[in-house]
Amino acid sequence: MRDRCTAALVGCLDSLAVVGQWRGKGIARALVAEAEKAAGSHQAGKLGAAALYVTHEPELTDFYAGLGFTLSPDGIGFPTPAGLICHGPIKGYRFSVKPLRTGIQMEPMATSYGRQLVVRGVLPVPAR
């Protein structure tokens, strides 16, 4: 189960597909841009998600990198006051992350799940 505070501050895009005959027309790029916009905004004008991560097939790594996403080695982790919340890895899929606001820092770090891309700055946490 996801931590409620973190879930509200991290957007997730699971599975994006464009029918073969419509590929190469910028549809996937437009859909990702809309997902970023939706995740990063809030109706009441409050801050939306701090970061967006996508779960994707390995062959789409370059596509997401071209949109500003950073590939995670084995999964992603988010520091919280209670500890590190980790997601992944998922067999046959990759995680890529993109900050949606300033102050987000990402660094690979060894965890019990493998080398996670740790995303800092989503929640305020005590200094290490």
Side-chain angles (χ1 to χ4, degrees):
M1 184 170 143
R2 290 186 189 165
D3 177 272
R4 288 184 191 175
C5 293
T6 303
L9 294 171
V10 178
C12 174
L13 178 59
D14 272 337
S15 302
L16 172 67
V18 176
V19 176
Q21 68 190 40
W22 291 96
R23 290 185 183 153
K25 300 178 187 302
I27 294 170
R29 287 180 182 277
L31 289 171
V32 172
E34 283 300 312
E36 289 177 29
K37 183 178 170 185
S41 64
H42 186 278
Q43 290 176 344
K46 298 177 183 176
L47 289 176
L52 175 67
Y53 76 89
V54 296
T55 306
H56 59 85
E57 293 85 358
E59 59 270 16
L60 294 175
T61 298
D62 290 342
F63 168 75
Y64 286 107
L67 297 177
F69 286 81
T70 300
L71 178 68
S72 170
D74 294 318
I76 53 176
F78 301 95
T80 71
L84 190 66
I85 295 175
C86 294
H87 298 282
I90 299 173
K91 187 176 180 178
Y93 291 90
R94 301 290 182 263
F95 288 118
S96 290
V97 183
K98 182 175 183 178
L100 298 179
R101 63 170 105 140
T102 58
I104 303 299
Q105 301 158 356
M106 300 182 294
E107 64 178 300
M109 183 173 95
T111 71
S112 56
Y113 294 104
R115 290 198 49 82
Q116 302 278 308
L117 183 64
V118 176
V119 183
R120 299 184 188 285
V122 173
L123 289 174
V125 294
R128 303 191 258 177

